[in-house]
Amino acid sequence: MNGGLKMSEQIKKIVENAKSSGRKKLLEHESLAVLEAYNIPVAPYFFAKDENEAQRNIDKIGFPVVVKIVSPDIVHKSDVGGVIVNVNSKDELVNAIKSIRANVQKNAPTAEVTGFLVQKMMPKGGLEVIVGGIRDPVFDATVMFGLGGIFVEVLKDVSFRIAPITKEEALEMINEIKARKILEGYRGEAPRDKEAIADIIVKVSKLLYENQELKEMDVNPVIVYEKGAYAVDARFIL
């Protein structure tokens, strides 16, 4: 398929750029661009080097937005004051970027600031899930699925498959976890779109399988609604 070649070319460019900068990890906007290359739905975003660029581009996605620091040296953005949510106007956008810059200067003075990720805040009422992948020494590309937060971190309630996988296998993965009842509409909550999650799992498995340079990844969170699911954040290790 012609598109496959094109998609991999785009990713190759991103990977080569990271390697030439001496990085083992993709930056936030690079990671989201990799997802988009495989048609994985992503919460609308753009990368801006500074306040002026952010103001120029904000009309593309509209308010409210979340603003995050983009830096190869910062792993936990919130710990250094590198994230500001509920930004609702151009003035607030400028102030948010200034505040983040000041916070980072104070809390991580040696960190290189590449720029800022400005991302549309997703509507309330979504449920967070995680889709991840690793390149296993025995099984090669392997994908993982689980519900966000405590379910993955504490309860280790996850399912795995060797990539690439079919839509049926992705739905099996979703139905294997103990917490699946939450997706099916627990205590009067609306059921979530399992088909949309399965679609993302299939695309992630293909992405990892087809791009040998990628060693580890997680799309966390994916926010799932009654209809549709959207990746908000992603992490790729080369």
Side-chain angles (χ1 to χ4, degrees):
M1 187 181 115
N2 205 10
L5 276 174
K6 214 164 110 199
M7 290 189 291
S8 286
E9 279 308 306
Q10 193 181 341
I11 291 170
K12 216 157 125 186
K13 224 168 157 175
I14 292 169
V15 168
E16 279 165 9
N17 179 44
K19 282 182 171 172
S20 66
S21 309
R23 286 188 280 117
K24 279 258 190 282
K25 183 176 175 283
L26 297 186
L27 298 170
E28 282 74 5
H29 60 296
E30 294 171 334
S31 297
L32 294 173
V34 167
L35 297 184
E36 286 180 311
Y38 273 73
N39 295 318
I40 294 166
V42 168
Y45 73 96
F46 62 85
F47 170 79
K49 280 197 157 51
D50 56 28
E51 297 88 329
N52 295 336
E53 199 177 334
Q55 278 187 304
R56 278 200 306 276
N57 287 295
I58 192 62
D59 292 338
K60 287 180 192 169
I61 64 172
F63 295 105
V65 294
V66 54
V67 184
K68 306 175 193 177
I69 187 75
V70 175
S71 164
D73 306 316
I74 295 170
V75 180
H76 302 294
K77 298 183 266 301
S78 302
D79 293 356
V80 297
V83 180
I84 293 179
V85 300
N86 274 322
V87 175
N88 280 297
S89 68
K90 285 190 176 180
D91 285 347
E92 284 183 26
L93 180 62
V94 170
N95 290 334
I97 290 174
K98 283 180 176 164
S99 298
I100 289 172
R101 199 185 276 114
N103 293 343
V104 169
Q105 218 151 20
K106 181 176 159 227
N107 299 318
T110 58
E112 179 199 327
V113 175
T114 310
F116 304 87
L117 187 84
V118 182
Q119 191 170 40
K120 186 88 171 166
M121 286 195 71
M122 296 305 288
K124 285 188 166 54
L127 187 70
E128 293 190 2
V129 302
I130 297 172
V131 180
I134 55 161
R135 201 164 290 289
D136 184 88
V138 178
F139 301 113
D140 197 40
T142 308
V143 285
M144 180 274 288
F145 169 74
L147 254 60
I150 185 173
F151 295 100
V152 167
E153 288 164 26
V154 181
L155 305 174
K156 306 280 185 258
D157 182 16
V158 293
S159 56
F160 291 92
R161 285 292 182 288
I162 297 165
I165 65 167
T166 63
K167 184 83 171 272
E168 288 69 36
E169 288 173 310
L171 286 164
E172 281 169 15
M173 284 179 78
I174 296 166
N175 291 326
E176 266 172 30
I177 63 164
K178 296 182 187 77
R180 71 179 179 279
K181 285 189 173 67
I182 294 170
L183 287 167
E184 288 161 1
Y186 180 68
R187 291 200 167 171
E189 283 284 322
R192 308 298 154 147
D193 193 341
K194 283 187 185 179
E195 292 281 326
I197 305 169
D199 191 50
I200 290 175
I201 296 172
V202 169
K203 286 170 177 171
V204 163
S205 85
K206 192 170 187 288
L207 161 59
L208 195 61
Y209 183 75
E210 290 182 349
N211 295 278
Q212 286 292 321
E213 306 92 340
L214 304 174
K215 181 185 161 194
E216 198 182 305
M217 63 173 288
D218 60 81
V219 190
N220 177 20
V222 172
I223 300 186
V224 194
Y225 296 93
E226 276 182 79
K227 196 87 195 96
Y230 301 87
V232 172
D233 222 332
R235 184 181 64 99
F236 285 91
I237 306 291
L238 304 180

